[in-house]
């Protein structure tokens, strides 16, 4: 099976702009989670989608949003970008809601200037 | 809120020695505990996991132990090799709730 893919891999934006990142999970996986990774903060959970519904949410402002489509592909959107949003954004997919191993994508490196 | 504390933040060992990384979780209902390895510039990859009904699990040079009473689990790597150098993350999960990750341990294996 193909692994989790994310597009784009690199992105440069300026403050105030918005950005949309995409994640394609492993075929058959219904759960997609998003994480923000920065050098000093480790892996910070953004949200999880399962069968097109947001099931879990982290402690991020409303500028961060996401959605999942019927084919399980997911997108996350960040509006009104701030310098502090510069990070590696990782998505991860799982086959089941409770016990499935979580597989990470390669990430999207977002730089906000 | 729930959290996972991970120690140490950095660890240097001589090649061939053992390395131990420890995590403590706050949610007593957590029932799944994975460990991820992230090499520089790469994605995190699962290296071993344990469920709450098991006290220990081994996979070649890697083992994980779980103490539910103390809400504590540890990663043990024996006979370390230079390719073990990476950042290791522990995590805890309860049912369909979100994963809670530790802050990571940077392991350096010195040749």
């Amino acid at each position: 099976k193909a692994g989790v893919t994310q597009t784009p891999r690199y992105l440069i934006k300026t403050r105030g702009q918005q950005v949309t990142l995409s994640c394609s999970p492993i075929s058959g996986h219904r759960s997609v989670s998003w994480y923000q990774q920065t050098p000093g903060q480790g892996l910070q959970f953004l949200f999880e989608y399962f069968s097109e519904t947001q099931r879990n949410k982290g402690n991020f402002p409303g500028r961060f949003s996401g959605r999942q489509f019927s084919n399980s592909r997911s997108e996350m959107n960040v509006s009104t970008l701030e310098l502090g949003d510069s990070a590696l954004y990782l998505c991860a997919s799982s086959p089941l809601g409770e016990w499935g191993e979580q597989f990470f994508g390669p990430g999207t490196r977002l730089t906000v200037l | 809120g729930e959290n996972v504390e991970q120690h140490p933040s950095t660890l240097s060992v001589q090649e061939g020695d053992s390395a131990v990384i420890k995590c403590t979780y706050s949610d007593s209902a957590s029932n799944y505990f994975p460990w991820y390895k992230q090499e520089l510039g790469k994605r995190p990859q699962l290296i071993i996991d344990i469920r709450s009904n098991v006290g220990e699990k081994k996979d070649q040079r890697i083992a994980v132990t779980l103490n539910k009473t103390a809400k504590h689990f540890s990663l043990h790597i024996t006979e370390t090799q230079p390719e073990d150098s990476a950042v290791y993350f522990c995590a805890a999960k309860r049912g369909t709730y979100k994963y809670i990750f530790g802050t990571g341990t940077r392991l350096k294996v010195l040749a």
Side-chain angles (χ1 to χ4, degrees):
Chain A
K1 283 184 178 180
V4 180
T5 58
Q6 292 186 245
T7 57
R9 294 292 312 279
Y10 302 92
L11 208 48
I12 299 176
K13 292 285 187 178
T14 56
R15 279 183 301 172
Q17 287 188 309
Q18 75 164 19
V19 66
T20 299
L21 312 181
S22 181
C23 172
S24 292
I26 292 172
S27 178
H29 287 194
R30 295 164 61 190
S31 168
V32 175
S33 296
W34 287 89
Y35 297 87
Q36 181 193 68
Q37 186 173 34
T38 54
Q41 298 297 318
L43 287 162
Q44 300 293 312
F45 174 79
L46 282 152
F47 28 66
E48 181 214 1
Y49 286 87
F50 182 78
S51 295
E52 301 179 66
T53 301
Q54 188 181 84
R55 184 163 66 178
N56 289 293
K57 189 176 187 302
N59 300 319
F60 278 80
R63 301 185 296 107
F64 292 82
S65 62
R67 60 177 176 170
Q68 187 180 34
F69 301 95
S70 58
N71 61 357
S72 292
R73 189 178 70 85
S74 178
E75 289 181 347
M76 69 163 279
N77 184 276
V78 188
S79 62
T80 320
L81 284 166
E82 300 177 359
L83 295 178
D85 296 334
S86 294
L88 179 68
Y89 290 88
L90 292 160
C91 79
S93 74
S94 299
L96 298 170
E98 184 170 348
W99 295 113
E101 175 186 342
Q102 188 172 222
F103 296 84
F104 282 88
T108 294
R109 172 75 60 186
L110 172 65
T111 301
V112 182
L113 303 176
Chain B
E2 308 92 342
N3 75 301
V4 173
E5 292 186 3
Q6 182 172 347
H7 298 283
S9 56
T10 59
L11 178 61
S12 294
V13 299
Q14 291 292 327
E15 182 178 358
D17 285 352
S18 295
V20 180
I21 302 171
K22 300 181 179 182
C23 289
T24 302
Y25 58 98
S26 60
D27 183 356
S28 58
S30 297
N31 56 4
Y32 177 61
F33 308 91
W35 285 90
Y36 288 85
K37 175 184 180 183
Q38 186 175 28
E39 297 176 68
L40 190 61
K42 296 191 176 181
R43 71 190 77 186
Q45 291 200 302
L46 181 75
I47 55 171
I48 196 167
D49 57 10
I50 193 167
R51 301 203 163 115
S52 57
N53 58 346
V54 176
E56 183 176 1
K57 184 177 178 180
K58 293 182 72 172
D59 183 4
Q60 299 182 346
R61 296 186 296 108
I62 294 173
V64 57
T65 58
L66 172 65
N67 182 330
K68 287 189 294 183
T69 302
K71 292 188 287 185
H72 172 94
F73 59 113
S74 300
L75 177 71
H76 304 253
I77 305 174
T78 59
E79 301 172 15
T80 53
Q81 301 168 4
E83 52 265 38
D84 294 329
S85 295
V87 178
Y88 292 80
F89 291 97
C90 63
K93 189 174 186 291
R94 165 164 64 114
T96 59
Y97 286 73
K98 63 187 180 185
Y99 285 84
I100 307 296
F101 279 84
T103 50
T105 296
R106 183 172 300 279
L107 174 64
K108 296 180 185 178
V109 179
L110 307 171

